[in-house]
Every structure is written in structure tokens, then in C-alpha cells.
Amino acid sequence: MSFFNRENRFLSKFNRRDLRTSLIISGIFLFLGTTGGVVQVKTAQKSGFILQLLHTSDQEAGVPALKDAPNFSAVLNALKNQDTNRNGKPDYPNTLILSSGDAYIPGPFLFASDTAFGGQGRGDILILNALGFGAIAFGNHEFDLGTGVVADLLGAKKDYPGTKFPYLSTNLDFSTDKDLAKLVTTDGQEASKIPNKIAHSTIITVNGEKIGVVGATTPTLRTISSPGSVTVLPKEFNDHDAADIAALAAEIQTSVDTLLTKNPKINKVILLAHMQQIAIEQKLATLLKGVDIIVAGGSNTLLADKTDRLRVGDKSAGTYPIIKKAADGNPIAVVNTDGNYRYVGRLIINFDANGVIIPKSIDPKISGAYATDSQGVAAVSGKPDAKIVAITEALKKVIIAQDGQIFGKTNVFLNGWRGDVRTQETNFGNLTAEANLAIAKRYDPKTVISIKNGGSIRDNIGIYTFPPGSTRSQDVIKLPPQANPVAGKKEKEISQLDITNALRFNDGLTLVTLNAKELVVIIEYSVAGIAPGTTPGSFPQVAGLAFSFDPNLPAGKRVKSLAIKDGKGKIIDVVVKNAELVGDSNRIFRTVTLNFLASGGDGYPFPKTEQVDLTSKDAKRTGLATFAADGSEQDALAEYLAANFKQIPFAQEDVPATKDTRIQNLKLRKNMVF
């Protein structure tokens, strides 16, 4: 690094502290140069602090977490306590444990806590407490069940401690929500002194060194979750609009500046940013001042280097960490790992005496992604935390009871992978869309279309594995559900647990009437978010129709053809041909969708007229599947399986996007809608 680069980096830090103090601490000396009488500045910089940041995001415990959460604790604690020279002291004593949000999600894991611990989600929080998180940012899934559930999980009760750490978000105003306003506390306090509380920022003292931590949440929160009366800023947000990104950066910067102004001795700041797409965190990195590290969240982006051993079948989505140049001219590190307790992120980095990170201090053999599978645990000689093992065992007993309730069979793997259901048609997407359509026809036989979002599918039904010794993606083996002798479940059987785990949100179904013009608007919107490197939750899974689209065209003008088809694939009506609406634009199509989407969730522009919710207001539970309310997605799938695949297994293989027929991506295949 050149002398002048070092000089500029130091000077850009002056806004963090008093100039005189900085000069003394940093050992700066001035002298008059012999050329032109220019005053030159030299700095005697040296490593001032070595931080070990252990991080994750999107824990979102599903059934796999029964094993992965204990394994996560084994790897995390082994790294935290690593003592390679066996002198009784950890190699990296300055350790901080943080998460950038989505720490829990509706599903069998969360709901099992109702029986095991007297309240849904409590097991998740008890695990987070045992892992020792210093602070967590609010993601979107924290709000999926409403702010009342958030308040219940964060707050302490007589028999439940709540969160032993603060939750953070600088661009959410909780004072406007009656459930959460009471939990808000003053910003910039020590995290250890504000458990069960909500703030914009906090301070965590690590061996005498104070580190500022600020949280931020995706401004799309209102369209992808249920934040009640919480005010989300900026109120208007388009992640492709530079002005909106700048407005978000300004919200974050205000909290960073306030924290540093009130605490002039702090020169290290970490931002926990749950932005859903890592491209946004990278843009924020270039716009912020005084921030050293961004822990990204929501995108499940697995950053790793060549020295990291990944779980079988996983691939790195980028180098760990991503280094950017911040708005103050200093380097800033962006880190992220895959979620679901599958990896522990580890960043060991030196700060110079001025609080600036030194990227060259990062050793890829030490920093990076640490897998939490059995091999990963063995590699670090880890041992699962006994408290977490006890928690997961209690949840497991409740969950296993659900795995013995059988509703159907499948000969094939049902593809619910996030990266697939949010970018292309899948066999599981087709199955659950068909199930919704079948149930809707019972309520209204005129229903011909089913539209849902890929983001509502949270997991596969089946096993994704590899032959022993292979990690090549082309060697993947996708199998139907495996037997569970303890629960009396046979191979290929689909259980209540499979259904509730894969459709964790259990959205209610809603009937809407769309005219041809409105239908085209809906389908255009459903593929508007497709772009390289993105996995938009709004991407559709459909039944009763087929369409083609060109992702290279501008959003809103991508649909090339669209036809309504019956159950045998026969065309009933051609709606779009050669990118033009065909026939009467006012002809109508009865459609079933999720009530989440019908009410504007994921930004869907469904008309507000003639909406009929199928979920019983009095929560009736009839038929064979009584574990979920009538008219809900879980109930629809269970009843559909029981009616069609109890004896003859489902057999539609999943195919690559090049062979998709309902949702045809013209970048990958020719138009074959009609």
C-alpha cells in the first residue's frame, strides 16, 4: 500500500474521534519536506486489535436443525475456544458472535415449542441464548406471525427468559406498534445490559474494546412479512433504484454517526444488514462511512474461499470475505454464509491503531465458512452444547409424532430448493399449485387458475445426497422421503411432518376474479424480479396455465405467450400471443392464490375486489387432514395427496428449466406454450 493511500485512510477516520487524541494514539509526527515546502504526514501504524467474528444469518430452523443446531454449537464453541498451542488460553480471545436476522421461521420446529416449552418459538430463542449471540438484527421472518409473537418471544416470562441479547434495526420505528413499543430502549447501550430489548444500535465490549453494532432490515418488509404497525423506512424502496439505496444508506448512516458522536472512543463498527440480496449489502458498503464490517443476511449467499470444505453438493457463491471501498475511503468487509445452521462464518481480522481493518491480515486458511455437518464437527474436534442437545431432543419428540401421520406417497424427489422454486418451475411447485386448485374447485367449480409464490415453499420433500466420496454436482442423488421406523413411516411415504416442514407458512387460500388484462399484469409481475444472481420470492408456481417469458426484456414486457389449460393439458383459452393480449380484455378467470399475495404480499398487484378467503374463520378442520385449518395450504396438499396419491405414488420427475412446460424461460428454451 502506498504512503499516500495510508495517509488518506487515516485522515478519513478523523470524523470518529478528536484530532488531538488521534495524533497522540497513532504516533503521528509531522515534518517539512524538502520539495516545495509541502507539509507531509506520515503515520506509524501498527496492528491495534485482532477480532474473531463468528457469525451467521437465516437460522430459520426446520427439521434438519434437530441435528444441525447442536452441530452448529459444536463448531462455534470449538472455534471460540481454539487453543492450538495448548497454553490454556484461546488463540483469539477477542471474539464476537452475531447474526443478521431471520433467527426463526414458522414451521414444525417453531410450533413444536408450544408443546415442549409452553409457547411457539421458545425453543429457537433458547438455542440462540445458549449459543451466546451478542446481538441479532431483525430479518423479515421474525415478523411472519405478527408483532404479538415477536413481543412474546423477546420478552421475559416467569418460566422463560426471552432473548438474552438485544434485537436491532435502525430503519424500523417500533414506537408506532403497540406490541413492540414497550420493548424499545435507548440506542447505544451495552448489549449485556439490554436483554429482551429493541434498539437501533448497541455496544459490545470485548476485553475492554468497545465495538459498535448497528442493525438494518430490508425496506421491503411490509410486502414480504407482517410487521403490524411498525414503520418501515424508507417507505418507498426499489432495490434497482440508486436513489432508494442511497436513502436506505442515509438511514443507517444516521445511527452510525450518532453512535460514534456519543462514543468518540469507539472506532470499530459492525453493521448487521438483512437485505435479502447480497448485492444490496455490497452497494451499501460503498455508501457508508465509519462502518468496518457488514454481516449480510436474507440471501443465503455462501461465501467461501478455496480452503473451505463445503457440505456435499454446496458451491461457493463468492470469495469470503468481499472487500469493498467505503465512502470514507477505508476498506470494508462484507461477509455471509448459507443459513439453516449449516455453516459458521469466521472472520479473523486485524484493525490498525486507528480502527481501520487490514484486509491483508485475513488468512483464508483460518477465516471463511465452516460446515456444521458431521465431518465439520470432527474437523474441529467439536462437542455439541448439552443445553442445545436437550432442547432439540425435546422438540424432536413432538416432531416425530407428526412423521407417523401419512397422507400420500411419491416415487420421486419433490424439489423445494430455494434457488429452484424462486427461478423456475419445479415438480413440487406444480404439485402444491395443483392441490390448491383442486381444493378451490370444491368451493367454486369455475376456478381454473392457481398462482402462488415460490417463496412460500421452504423445503424439499425427499432426500438430497451424493455417493460416498463425491461432491460433484452432477453426481447428486435425489430420493423420495426415507423411512422412519420410530414413527412407523415407510420409504416414499409423505407425512404430516413433510408437509408442514415444506409449507411452513401454511398460508390461507383466497379466490379472486381476474379479467384477462389483470391476469397478464399479475403474470408479468411474477417474473419481473428475475435477474442474474437473484432469487425473488415472488417468482410463481402455477397450475391451470402455461406461459413463456423473456428475462432479457424490460420488466413488465416479458410475457410472450400465455394460455389457460385444463387438467389434461388441453388449451381452453389463449390470452397472450406474440406478446399481445388476445381477445376481450374483460373476459374473466376465477383464480385461487394465497391470501398473503391477494393482500399485496411480495408486492403482488391483485385487485381488491371479489376476494373470498377459503380458510374457515372458525378454524374448521374436516376431512382426513385435521392438523391444519380447512382452506389452508397444508390442508389442501394433505387432502389432495390422500385423494390422488395414497395408493398410486406421485411420479412426476423434476426437470431442468430447459424442459419446463408451465413456466417457459425463453433464455433457456424455445416457446412451446401452444
Side-chain angles (χ1 to χ4, degrees):
M1 180 180 292
S2 71
F3 160 72
F4 289 106
N5 282 341
R6 284 185 283 128
E7 172 194 3
N8 291 336
R9 186 175 69 171
F10 171 73
L11 292 176
S12 65
K13 282 282 185 173
F14 278 171
N15 66 326
R16 296 191 182 188
R17 61 177 69 187
D18 176 75
L19 174 61
R20 183 182 300 275
T21 303
S22 294
L23 292 175
I24 294 172
I25 294 177
S26 301
I28 290 180
F29 60 92
L30 305 179
F31 67 93
L32 290 176
T34 58
T35 304
V38 178
V39 176
Q40 297 179 332
V41 181
K42 288 188 177 181
T43 62
Q45 295 185 3
K46 58 183 179 180
S47 175
F49 187 78
I50 300 174
L51 175 68
Q52 175 175 231
L53 172 62
L54 301 176
H55 64 89
T56 190
S57 66
D58 306 278
Q59 293 95 303
E60 299 178 14
V63 174
L66 292 172
K67 180 177 181 180
D68 286 337
N71 281 359
F72 184 97
S73 73
V75 174
L76 182 142
N77 289 330
L79 298 179
K80 180 176 68 174
N81 300 316
Q82 179 181 308
D83 179 12
T84 53
N85 60 9
R86 299 182 181 180
N87 65 354
K89 298 179 181 179
D91 295 342
Y92 303 100
N94 303 321
T95 295
L96 195 54
I97 304 172
L98 300 171
S99 167
S100 53
D102 277 3
Y104 56 85
I105 192 172
F109 195 98
L110 180 138
F111 294 128
S113 284
D114 227 351
T115 301
F117 299 108
Q120 58 189 17
R122 290 186 176 184
D124 294 81
I125 300 301
L126 293 173
I127 288 172
L128 300 176
N129 288 343
L131 288 170
F133 283 99
I136 295 181
F138 276 107
N140 50 291
H141 288 309
E142 270 86 359
F143 298 95
D144 284 340
L145 298 174
T147 56
V149 172
V150 177
D152 182 69
L153 286 176
L154 269 62
K157 311 290 189 301
K158 183 178 180 181
D159 58 343
Y160 168 68
T163 57
K164 292 185 177 181
F165 50 84
Y167 253 101
L168 308 176
S169 184
T170 186
N171 62 309
L172 301 183
D173 181 358
F174 298 93
S175 67
T176 54
D177 185 87
K178 62 180 179 62
D179 293 317
L180 298 179
K182 58 189 176 184
L183 299 181
V184 176
T185 190
T186 304
D187 299 331
Q189 298 183 73
E190 281 282 348
S192 60
K193 296 181 179 180
I194 52 172
N196 314 112
K197 295 296 184 181
I198 296 171
H200 292 165
S201 64
T202 189
I203 297 170
I204 301 178
T205 301
V206 181
N207 290 326
E209 187 76 18
K210 293 183 179 296
I211 299 173
V213 183
V214 178
T217 307
T218 172
T220 64
L221 181 64
R222 193 159 298 286
T223 63
I224 61 176
S225 195
S226 304
S229 299
V230 173
T231 300
V232 184
L233 301 172
K235 293 184 178 180
E236 299 295 330
F237 185 78
N238 180 344
D239 60 9
H240 297 298
D241 189 328
D244 288 356
I245 299 290
L248 173 60
E251 292 287 343
I252 298 170
Q253 192 65 59
T254 297
S255 283
V256 173
D257 290 347
T258 300
L259 180 68
L260 293 175
T261 299
K262 292 183 177 180
N263 300 275
K265 292 185 178 180
I266 290 179
N267 63 5
K268 300 171 184 66
V269 175
I270 297 173
L271 172 65
L272 306 177
H274 194 95
M275 294 298 137
Q276 294 292 97
Q277 300 293 342
I278 198 168
I280 300 177
E281 279 105 352
Q282 291 187 71
K283 291 176 183 176
L284 289 173
T286 66
L287 298 174
L288 296 171
K289 299 178 180 179
V291 177
D292 302 288
I293 301 169
I294 297 179
V295 181
S299 64
N300 291 75
T301 302
L302 175 54
L303 299 181
D305 53 58
K306 293 181 180 179
T307 67
D308 296 336
R309 186 198 65 81
L310 304 184
R311 295 170 73 124
V312 173
D314 286 353
K315 292 183 179 180
S316 171
T319 301
Y320 183 104
I322 297 170
I323 301 294
K324 293 286 185 178
K325 184 178 181 181
D328 55 13
N330 295 312
I332 181 171
V334 180
V335 297
N336 199 14
T337 62
D338 194 8
N340 307 107
Y341 290 106
R342 290 168 51 82
Y343 290 90
V344 175
R346 186 193 206 189
L347 178 66
I348 296 176
I349 193 165
N350 290 22
F351 290 79
D352 69 20
N354 307 306
V356 179
I357 64 169
I358 305 174
K360 289 185 178 180
S361 69
I362 302 171
D363 183 350
K365 294 180 181 179
I366 302 174
S367 292
Y370 284 74
T372 61
D373 54 5
S374 298
Q375 190 174 344
V377 173
V380 296
S381 301
K383 183 179 180 180
D385 183 283
K387 291 182 180 178
I388 294 176
V389 171
I391 294 166
T392 53
E393 284 297 318
L395 296 173
K396 184 178 180 180
K397 291 179 181 178
V398 178
I399 291 171
I400 281 181
Q402 301 173 11
D403 210 21
Q405 302 299 315
I406 307 301
F407 291 94
K409 299 177 182 178
T410 176
N411 282 337
V412 298
F413 174 85
L414 300 179
N415 184 4
W417 279 115
R418 173 192 175 100
D420 289 342
V421 296
R422 294 171 178 239
T423 57
Q424 66 184 72
E425 172 189 342
T426 77
N427 65 343
F428 187 38
N430 290 346
L431 176 61
T432 181
E434 290 284 2
N436 293 350
L437 181 58
I439 294 297
K441 284 180 177 291
R442 295 185 187 178
Y443 291 85
D444 186 345
K446 294 181 181 179
T447 308
V448 292
I449 298 171
S450 173
I451 302 172
K452 60 176 290 177
N453 62 321
S456 65
I457 299 173
R458 307 308 300 186
D459 214 333
N460 311 301
I461 294 182
I463 299 297
Y464 188 92
T465 187
F466 285 77
S470 173
T471 60
R472 301 187 309 166
S473 59
Q474 59 265 40
D475 293 338
V476 65
I477 300 173
K478 299 178 181 179
L479 301 172
Q482 300 299 287
N484 183 348
V486 176
K489 177 184 178 182
K490 298 177 181 178
E491 185 180 0
K492 300 183 180 181
E493 290 185 332
I494 301 174
S495 70
Q496 173 185 330
L497 181 59
D498 292 322
I499 295 168
T500 57
N501 186 56
L503 300 178
R504 296 175 198 170
F505 295 151
N506 195 28
D507 291 292
L509 302 178
T510 297
L511 287 174
V512 298
T513 299
L514 301 175
N515 63 35
K517 185 177 180 180
E518 291 168 336
L519 175 60
V520 174
V521 170
I522 293 295
I523 298 302
E524 282 283 8
Y525 178 80
S526 72
V527 294
I530 286 293
T534 63
T535 53
S538 54
F539 187 85
Q541 298 294 328
V542 301
L545 61 80
F547 70 94
S548 65
F549 73 100
D550 187 345
N552 292 327
L553 294 176
K557 297 182 179 180
R558 293 179 167 180
V559 175
K560 287 289 189 176
S561 60
L562 191 159
I564 310 301
K565 296 187 176 184
D566 64 16
K568 296 182 180 180
K570 181 181 178 181
I571 294 177
I572 300 173
D573 194 334
V574 174
V575 182
V576 176
K577 185 175 183 178
N578 297 326
E580 296 291 337
L581 179 63
V582 176
D584 183 3
S585 63
N586 290 315
R587 67 189 190 279
I588 61 174
F589 305 97
R590 197 63 162 158
T591 303
V592 63
T593 189
L594 310 184
N595 57 18
F596 171 67
L597 303 184
S599 60
D602 264 349
Y604 265 84
F606 278 101
K608 302 302 180 184
T609 56
E610 290 195 72
Q611 294 190 0
V612 179
D613 290 335
L614 304 188
T615 306
S616 305
K617 292 183 179 179
D618 56 357
K620 288 183 178 179
R621 301 189 177 207
T622 61
L624 293 175
T626 56
F627 65 88
D630 290 0
S632 65
E633 270 220 290
Q634 291 178 5
D635 181 73
L637 180 56
E639 296 289 0
Y640 185 72
L641 289 170
N644 297 279
F645 303 107
K646 196 70 179 285
Q647 302 301 325
I648 301 175
F650 180 81
Q652 179 189 335
E653 291 273 3
D654 193 55
V655 297
T658 53
K659 295 183 179 181
D660 284 344
T661 56
R662 298 187 187 189
I663 304 175
Q664 299 179 13
N665 185 334
L666 299 181
K667 186 178 179 181
L668 303 173
R669 61 157 300 156
K670 292 182 179 180
N671 191 339
M672 294 289 287
V673 173
F674 43 75

